[in-house]
Amino acid sequence: MEKMLRIVVLVSGSGSNLQNLLDGIAEKTLTGVRIVGVISNNAGAYALERARKADIPALAISPKDFPSREVFYQRLEATLEDFQPDLMVLAGFLVVLPENLVKKYENRILNIHPSLIPAFCGSGNYGRKVHENAIARGVKLSGATVHFVDAGTDTGPILLQKSVPVFPDDTPEILQKRIQQDAEAVLLPQAVQLIADGRVFFRDGNAYVREVPSRK
Ligand code: GRF
């Protein structure tokens, strides 16, 4: 049987990126992957409901339920280990992962960010603020980036980017929606497929896509 790439998706909010992966798997446009678990730091995240509807184990692990950050991180790490993921996908996950976890899963954690990195990224650029900042700067293009996670914030190897236009009358909400629909919806499933197909390689700290799939 074909080897399935085991994915754990980490979420905090609505979970539209998770849904894009679930839809891709259901419609068989995303193949060779299995979402084995979804973890949210927020028990009220709609993303958890989306996971449960798809019969995927969905857990809330919230820092506020633990006596310290350290204990929270220990539980998160232990839970991740139980799922034995080949790949972790941060899909709107708002918690910064501890350095040891990032090291342990080096080049095996993907993040999606709603701008063309290195523009409008790093601390302070999350949620609506990314789009407010892009509009305030008057950029004519924005978009989304899928990158691997390293110890910094939005600094890891870039895997894929997709641009969308920014129009004069855009509000942050309108731009956010355009990026979600026209860039993120395409990019994250595509990135996961490339990894499942063994087409991603690293050189000099950057990530690249092999043109021809390697034999597995
Ligand atoms: C997305 O815009 C993603 O780029 C960012 O957080 C948002 C998550 O949205 N990292 P959703 O929970 O996937 O709907």
Side-chain angles (χ1 to χ4, degrees):
M1 215 178 85
E2 184 196 8
K3 187 187 176 301
M4 287 286 203
L5 189 84
R6 296 172 62 85
I7 302 175
V8 171
V9 183
L10 282 83
V11 295
S12 299
S14 117
S16 59
N17 280 288
L18 168 67
Q19 193 65 54
N20 294 332
L21 295 176
L22 292 170
D23 291 348
I25 292 167
E27 289 157 16
K28 296 194 169 41
T29 51
L30 176 55
T31 58
V33 310
R34 196 174 137 212
I35 299 178
V36 292
V38 171
I39 300 174
S40 172
N41 63 308
N42 161 19
Y46 182 60
L48 289 173
E49 251 176 73
R50 296 185 195 260
R52 289 182 187 126
K53 273 189 203 147
D55 281 329
I56 290 165
L59 306 169
I61 304 177
S62 180
K64 65 177 167 43
D65 297 332
F66 296 89
S68 67
R69 259 284 138 155
E70 214 186 322
V71 182
F72 160 71
Y73 282 144
Q74 281 165 3
R75 171 64 65 83
L76 184 64
E77 187 171 345
T79 308
L80 281 167
E81 209 157 293
D82 286 346
F83 283 124
Q84 300 201 317
D86 299 309
L87 180 72
M88 271 158 63
V89 175
L90 312 187
F93 190 56
L94 292 177
V95 174
V96 176
L97 293 177
E99 227 172 295
N100 68 307
L101 199 65
V102 171
K103 262 238 122 47
K104 182 169 163 186
Y105 291 92
E106 194 181 11
N107 295 343
R108 291 196 292 146
I109 309 175
L110 274 188
N111 183 45
I112 181 153
H113 182 78
S115 75
L116 296 174
I117 290 175
F120 313 113
C121 64
S123 58
N125 275 300
Y126 59 89
R128 193 68 48 87
K129 289 200 181 131
V130 180
H131 312 294
E132 283 169 10
N133 291 339
I135 288 170
R137 185 62 184 83
V139 292
K140 308 300 180 243
L141 286 176
S142 192
T145 301
V146 174
H147 67 92
F148 290 92
V149 173
D150 67 5
T153 306
D154 302 328
T155 52
I158 291 170
L159 178 55
L160 294 176
Q161 296 188 295
K162 190 170 192 316
S163 63
V164 305
V166 183
F167 297 117
D169 295 333
D170 277 351
T171 62
E173 292 74 18
I174 290 172
L175 180 57
Q176 179 175 44
K177 201 162 178 204
R178 185 177 309 122
I179 289 173
Q180 283 176 343
Q181 291 178 346
D182 297 352
E184 296 192 350
V186 182
L187 223 50
L188 190 58
Q190 193 183 348
V192 169
Q193 187 68 69
L194 288 169
I195 294 170
D197 290 346
R199 291 181 57 188
V200 176
F201 66 99
F202 297 87
R203 194 169 58 208
D204 301 332
N206 288 320
Y208 300 94
V209 177
R210 233 184 296 273
E211 283 307 313
V212 182
S214 64
R215 282 183 187 280
K216 277 188 280 176

